[in-house]
Amino acid sequence: MAPGSRTTLRDVARAAGVSVPQASLALNGQGRVAASTVRRVRDAAERLGYRPNPAARALRLGRVDAVGLITRNLSNSYFLDVLRGMEAVTSSRGSHVVVMDSGYDPSTELAAVHRMADGQVSALAIAPVGGTEAVDWWRVNRPELPIVQINTAPSPGVTTVGPDNPVAVTLAVDHLAGLGHRRIGFVTAPPADAADTDRTQAYLARAGELGLRPEILPCRLRFDDVRDLVADQLADPGGVRTFLMNSDYTASAVYRAARDAGVEVGREVSVVGHDDLPTSGLLAPAMTTVAFDRRLVGEIAATELLEPGRETRTAVVPVHLVVRDSVADLRP
């Protein structure tokens, strides 16, 4: 084999002294193959570092065996709804979902993509952590396997599925401005980790149109980090008191920071979330947030992956604002 080339089933068969069909049956545990042959084939596969090619298997079976899902943060139950949507589609088509979580860490994300590509799945949905390194790696090294991005700004040549980010941000900013808020802290991932950059662009554009004072607050989008960011703002007499968040999960950290500081959400602190999780209406006060069909994101992603050959596109899920009590009325 050439240096760096991928070990094939034919290489394993040759090393074990059997035919390719025999090697396949031995590795898959199918058909009548002598135990000694199975051992010989599996020893050769291990020695050569053979990993099954999911694309070849998918072509033989005429279907995708397994679909991968790499999330940014499984602590955010939004991604569980995406998973449920994907499973509803995959289970109806004889496939299943393999899940990994990057935890907002680019190196962990890239390692997860490598593992997914190394024989585990025949297609991949990913909510990327900023940049395009992981997606680009998949497209270069597994060009035969479909990939879909979730919850990120559109990019050329890759299907993207997610809520209508520009509309979501505009609805939230308009609601806050309508209640007299002129300084809105937009909490977003640091530039190196930000995937949904279209949200930031929409925020700056709408704030400029309305003559507001925009303030971008970069922060790692983990609960403790967001809580600390908001706590610092609340401890500063000149700090931000109105927060526009990328998820209900991070918005709940605003509630925690406000409680710790002894101030009240909906009066001294205002927050608008995104996702409309079931728990958001149970908070005190109930959270104003952007709602959309969360499971539909997963359903669309899985459908795109299970029907290879489709043209790449940007699939946008409609959004609407759910007004509750987490925003103070600052109008004179």
Side-chain angles (χ1 to χ4, degrees):
M1 292 184 295
S5 63
R6 185 185 180 96
T7 301
T8 67
L9 183 61
R10 187 175 300 279
D11 297 323
V12 174
R14 185 182 301 113
V18 300
S19 68
V20 172
Q22 278 185 303
S24 178
L25 292 173
L27 291 174
N28 293 326
Q30 299 174 339
R32 293 186 176 182
V33 182
S36 59
T37 300
V38 171
R39 286 195 298 271
R40 196 162 70 249
V41 170
R42 292 183 176 176
D43 286 346
E46 183 175 357
R47 186 172 65 254
L48 296 175
Y50 172 72
R51 295 293 181 272
N53 185 327
R57 180 172 172 82
L59 287 172
R60 289 197 308 272
L61 298 178
R63 62 178 172 83
V64 173
D65 244 0
V67 171
L69 171 63
I70 300 177
T71 71
R72 288 194 282 262
N73 184 4
L74 271 178
S75 297
N76 183 350
S77 61
Y78 161 73
F79 286 114
L80 298 181
D81 290 321
V82 172
L83 173 59
R84 291 187 185 99
M86 291 184 66
E87 287 181 330
V89 174
T90 57
S91 62
S92 70
R93 306 197 186 188
S95 185
H96 63 280
V97 183
V98 177
V99 186
M100 299 184 74
D101 184 34
S102 71
Y104 269 107
D105 181 75
S107 60
T108 300
E109 175 186 70
L110 191 58
V113 169
H114 288 178
R115 289 184 62 188
M116 289 286 191
D118 193 18
Q120 288 202 29
V121 302
S122 304
L124 178 65
I126 179 173
V129 182
T132 62
E133 182 179 5
V135 174
D136 289 345
W137 186 94
W138 183 276
R139 295 179 67 194
V140 169
N141 292 276
R142 295 294 181 268
E144 73 280 15
L145 304 184
I147 184 170
V148 167
Q149 297 181 128
I150 293 174
N151 277 44
T152 184
S155 57
V158 185
T159 290
T160 300
V161 183
D164 194 330
N165 282 334
V167 171
V169 171
T170 299
L171 288 172
V173 171
D174 285 358
H175 177 67
L176 290 165
L179 290 175
H181 294 258
R182 311 302 297 172
R183 185 185 180 198
I184 301 170
F186 182 81
V187 179
T188 185
D193 296 339
D196 49 1
T197 52
D198 50 345
R199 284 177 52 84
T200 304
Q201 294 166 1
Y203 165 73
L204 292 172
R206 191 56 177 161
E209 291 167 358
L210 298 177
L212 306 179
R213 176 182 172 184
E215 187 148 354
I216 294 178
L217 303 175
C219 178
R220 298 185 74 184
L221 298 177
R222 297 173 177 170
F223 186 93
D224 291 347
D225 294 299
V226 174
R227 179 201 58 201
D228 292 345
L229 167 75
V230 175
D232 290 343
Q233 292 294 322
L234 298 181
D236 181 354
V240 171
R241 297 294 185 271
T242 301
F243 300 91
L244 177 55
M245 312 301 294
N246 77 313
S247 70
D248 286 6
Y249 170 75
T250 53
S252 65
V254 178
Y255 279 73
R256 173 66 65 83
R259 187 190 69 183
D260 293 345
V263 295
E264 187 177 347
V265 172
R267 294 176 63 87
E268 299 143 290
V269 177
S270 295
V271 58
V272 176
H274 187 286
D275 296 340
D276 192 28
L277 300 179
T279 52
S280 297
L282 304 177
L283 296 171
M287 185 191 298
T288 293
T289 184
V290 174
F292 58 97
D293 190 336
R294 301 180 301 277
R295 287 186 55 153
L296 181 58
V297 174
E299 291 171 4
I300 295 174
T303 300
E304 293 289 328
L305 293 172
L306 291 172
E307 297 179 2
R310 295 166 66 114
E311 293 293 325
T312 59
R313 67 186 183 109
T314 299
V316 177
V317 176
V319 300
H320 64 277
L321 188 69
V322 178
V323 177
R324 298 191 178 110
D325 302 315
S326 62
V327 177
D329 190 340
L330 302 183
R331 292 174 293 186

